[in-house]
Amino acid sequence: MNGLFDGRQVRRAFSRASSAYASAASLQHEVEDRLLEMLDFLALQPGRGQDWTPARVLDLGSGPARGAQAMRRRWPRAQVIAMDLALPMLRQAGVGRWHPLRRPLARVCADARALPLADDSLDVLFCNLCLQWVEDLPAVFAGFRRVLRPGGLLLCSSFGPATLHELREAFAAADAAPHVNPFTSIAEFGDALVQAGFRDPVLDRDVQVHGYASMGALMRELRAIGATNALAARRRSLTGRRRFAAAQAAYEALRPAGGPLPATWETITAMAWAPDHGAPMREGDAEIARFPARGIPVRRR
């Protein structure tokens, strides 16, 4: 596979993690809850009071659909779609108890880079900690703009470049092969949103340091949530005992006296609005305007 990530490995890792993900992904749930709280801003938008209900909502990279279920409770009459690259993750998504006013949850196995949705078909696109697995962020945001109706809301999050820098540096002391994904900075994230034409973007950055008993404990947690090395340039053979021991020794040097090993997690959250048709997207030095084909008048002879 050409490119930064091996998509098949990403799918395999999250498929294997599907049964353990819900109980292991505490940080993912915390960031997801912050995104869900941002939905309260909808009530402040003109024409969108507390009673406003979107017609169609997408939870992209949904995993076992925790966010999708929360939005279905919030908007019981909306069509809520849980979409994930890993089919076993979607199979873990409980459909919930039947409710006479609540539409069933739709589950779709698909790739964020090629959304199988019609133009202008979404009112809300919610995407929690999925975009760090995408190498061409402007292209994905252009796809988001395509499926969102003008004025539709995009809520998304990703990891920033400080994430797991301790683990990256520890493995760098052992060999030259990449072991930790590179992550997009908040400035690059905002630029990609603007390049795709999204308006009024609001971005936030949060940094947390978690403690682990050992490097092995951190790596077991990463495997439990599917966050393993999926770089196309990764070493295909197992990390040998000598290299792993060297990485452990380098990581242990970061342990504070009497404390746990530190692991940094930088999260970026963003809220933005899809523009009206015809608003330009930037491609290099050019600005490209997009119009729906149905809006172009056809003269019949």
Side-chain angles (χ1 to χ4, degrees), residues 21-241:
Y21 184 88
S23 59
S26 57
L27 175 62
Q28 284 72 12
H29 294 164
E30 180 184 331
V31 179
E32 188 172 62
D33 289 340
R34 292 209 302 266
L35 283 183
L36 290 168
E37 288 173 3
M38 293 169 72
L39 290 172
D40 294 334
F41 283 95
L42 282 173
L44 306 177
Q45 294 297 309
R48 293 178 176 174
Q50 294 287 352
D51 297 331
W52 178 78
T53 296
R56 185 175 291 117
V57 176
L58 174 65
D59 180 9
L60 179 62
S62 65
R66 180 177 180 269
Q69 296 286 9
M71 288 185 286
R72 195 170 69 127
R73 290 191 295 271
R74 184 186 187 99
W75 296 307
R77 298 185 182 183
Q79 181 186 24
V80 180
I81 304 167
M83 185 179 294
D84 200 274
L85 182 66
L87 183 58
M89 279 287 191
L90 293 171
R91 288 174 175 155
Q92 294 290 326
V95 296
R97 298 180 65 181
W98 181 82
H99 190 282
L101 299 179
R102 188 176 295 164
R103 297 185 64 176
L105 182 69
R107 290 174 285 180
V108 178
C109 185
D111 193 321
R113 298 169 299 177
L115 297 176
L117 299 171
D119 292 7
D120 307 331
S121 60
L122 297 177
D123 296 293
V124 178
L125 198 163
F126 182 96
C127 183
N128 180 50
L129 295 179
C130 163
L131 296 174
Q132 65 271 14
W133 300 104
V134 171
E135 58 191 271
D136 192 346
L137 204 53
V140 169
F141 282 154
F144 289 1
R145 172 178 169 173
R146 177 185 68 79
V147 299
L148 278 165
R149 296 188 178 103
L153 175 66
L154 171 63
L155 280 173
C156 57
S157 62
S158 187
F159 287 124
T163 299
L164 298 177
H165 72 84
E166 301 93 345
L167 184 63
R168 179 183 291 108
E169 293 159 10
F171 271 113
D175 64 22
H179 290 267
V180 179
N181 296 354
F183 299 105
T184 301
S185 70
I186 190 170
E188 294 167 327
F189 206 86
D191 285 347
L193 282 170
V194 172
Q195 182 175 338
F198 280 93
R199 58 180 177 83
D200 303 327
V202 177
L203 290 90
D204 193 21
R205 174 179 174 270
D206 181 72
V207 177
Q208 301 180 27
V209 180
H210 294 187
Y212 294 87
S214 65
M215 190 177 86
L218 168 59
M219 296 187 71
R220 284 191 294 273
E221 179 179 297
L222 294 176
R223 282 195 297 272
I225 61 175
T228 57
N229 187 356
L231 292 167
R234 71 189 184 281
R235 185 187 299 278
R236 300 307 173 109
S237 59
L238 294 175
T239 300
R241 291 183 179 179

